[in-house]
């Protein structure tokens, strides 16, 4: 009934945040010049401040894009999703949610470890293929708390071995995130891996990834998420989900 995390989990996380904020407000730090600030004031100047964290990430993506254009590199948005056994719930065509009969009891952190393990293997294969890529990865929950990844990746048009980089990247990502496990199950071909080439003439890479960054930090400028929830409120649920399962949202 509660998207991404249960209502109890969300309320527990909000209470924890309030306690942490009270502690930060109650402690004052004094530097060697006699300037005094509360820890809350100091924390607000860094990435603990959600708007600053959002803008830091987007600034880094903009830097990647600047480098990519100078180098003549190409860019792709790649989405990877877990096999159905990791999903506790499924959704019918009419939007109704039901228990997934293939669910094997895996927790969201186990699903995250699966994605990380396959990513590690895929990275090693790409390196062997002579494909050198860089970019940013966003982990976010589906409605039943199962994580999936959105990766904005940049790469030269050809590998070190002279092969087409986009084709090689697509082939290897599909090998490790689709063909590695139950590739013929229903919906696997459509949902397990998704690739979108970024056309520099139609928009910036920042524009492609901004909504994923924002809705997983503070919901700024998103409006509603894919479930029709207010993005600012749903960002609190996402933060509770990431904290509960110790999932690194951005890398």
């Amino acid at each position: 009934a509660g998207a991404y995390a249960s209502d109890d989990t969300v309320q527990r996380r909000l209470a924890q945040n309030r306690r942490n904020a009270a502690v930060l407000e109650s402690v004052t730090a004094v530097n060697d010049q006699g300037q005094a600030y509360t820890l809350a004031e100091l924390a607000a100047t860094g990435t603990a401040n959600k708007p600053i964290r959002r803008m830091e990430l987007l600034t880094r993506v903009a830097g990647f894009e600047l480098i990519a254009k100078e180098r003549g590199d190409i860019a792709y948005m790649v989405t990877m999703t877990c096999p159905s056994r990791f999903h506790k719930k499924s959704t019918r065509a009419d939007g109704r949610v039901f228990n997934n009969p293939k669910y094997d009891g895996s927790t969201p952190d186990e699903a995250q470890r699966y994605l990380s393990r396959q990513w590690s293997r895929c990275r090693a294969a790409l390196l062997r293929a002579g494909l050198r890529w860089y970019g940013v990865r966003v982990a976010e929950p589906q409605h039943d708390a199962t994580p999936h990844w959105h990766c904005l990746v940049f790469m030269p048009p050809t590998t070190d071995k002279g092969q087409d980089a986009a084709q090689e990247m697509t082939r290897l990502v599909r090998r490790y995130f689709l063909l590695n496990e139950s590739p013929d199950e229903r919906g696997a071909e459509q949902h397990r891996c998704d690739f979108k080439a970024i056309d520099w003439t139609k928009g910036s890479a920042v524009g492609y990834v901004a909504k994923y960054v924002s809705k997983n930090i503070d919901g700024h400028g998103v409006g509603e998420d894919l479930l029709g929830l207010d993005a600012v409120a749903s960002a609190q649920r996402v933060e509770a989900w990431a904290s509960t399962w110790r999932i690194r949202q951005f890398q």
Side-chain angles (χ1 to χ4, degrees):
Y4 316 133
S6 69
D7 290 343
D8 283 345
T9 296
V10 173
Q11 291 305 315
R12 190 165 55 245
R13 179 59 178 169
L14 291 175
Q16 182 185 38
N17 288 340
R18 287 193 292 269
R19 291 194 302 272
N20 291 342
V23 170
L24 295 178
E25 287 284 0
S26 67
V27 178
T28 301
V30 182
N31 66 16
D32 56 0
Q33 298 182 18
Q35 297 170 317
Y37 302 93
T38 66
L39 294 188
E41 290 175 312
L42 296 175
T45 65
T47 54
N49 183 321
K50 289 185 177 182
I52 291 178
R53 187 182 185 201
R54 170 168 44 82
M55 294 310 299
E56 287 271 357
L57 282 163
L58 294 179
T59 298
R60 182 165 295 188
V61 174
F64 284 149
E65 181 176 355
L66 182 63
I67 292 169
K69 288 181 176 179
E70 289 179 348
R71 286 167 46 89
D73 289 349
I74 59 175
Y76 272 77
M77 278 295 296
V78 184
T79 300
M80 290 89 89
T81 305
C82 293
S84 65
R85 66 182 179 89
F86 289 98
H87 298 264
K88 186 173 185 178
K89 302 288 184 178
S90 294
T91 306
R92 301 185 192 278
D94 60 5
R96 288 188 297 167
V97 177
F98 63 99
N99 289 329
N100 174 22
K102 295 183 179 180
Y103 178 58
D104 66 1
S106 297
T107 59
D109 68 319
E110 289 172 331
Q112 176 75 356
R113 287 200 295 270
Y114 165 83
L115 291 171
S116 296
R117 183 170 62 252
Q118 295 307 116
W119 180 246
S120 176
R121 293 168 177 169
C122 185
R123 285 204 329 266
L126 287 162
L127 187 61
R128 290 194 298 271
L131 194 154
R132 304 180 184 279
W133 63 356
Y134 53 99
V136 62
R137 185 255 315 149
V138 181
E140 66 174 0
Q142 293 172 307
H143 65 92
D144 65 352
T146 307
H148 63 288
W149 287 9
H150 300 287
C151 300
L152 174 61
V153 296
F154 304 89
M155 70 200 84
T158 57
T159 69
D160 292 348
K161 299 179 180 181
Q163 296 173 301
D164 183 280
Q167 290 184 3
E168 194 69 3
M169 180 270 294
T170 301
R171 181 182 70 83
L172 289 172
V173 169
R174 284 174 55 86
R175 175 198 290 180
Y176 289 97
F177 287 92
L178 172 62
L179 303 179
N180 66 302
E181 181 177 329
S182 54
D184 298 323
E185 67 180 3
R186 185 177 180 181
E189 184 69 33
Q190 294 80 13
H191 303 298
R192 198 83 68 76
C193 301
D194 182 67
F195 306 89
K196 287 185 174 66
I198 293 180
D199 185 344
W200 298 125
T201 65
K202 294 183 179 179
S204 70
V206 176
Y208 282 86
V209 80
K211 66 177 181 179
Y212 298 114
V213 170
S214 184
K215 72 181 182 179
N216 285 286
I217 294 181
D218 59 2
H220 174 79
V222 176
E224 294 184 348
D225 66 8
L226 292 177
L227 300 181
L229 303 174
D230 175 70
V232 175
S234 69
Q236 294 180 331
R237 306 189 73 90
V238 172
E239 194 271 339
W241 165 82
S243 173
T244 298
W245 299 108
R246 295 173 293 179
I247 289 175
R248 183 176 181 179
Q249 292 174 275
F250 307 100
Q251 188 170 13

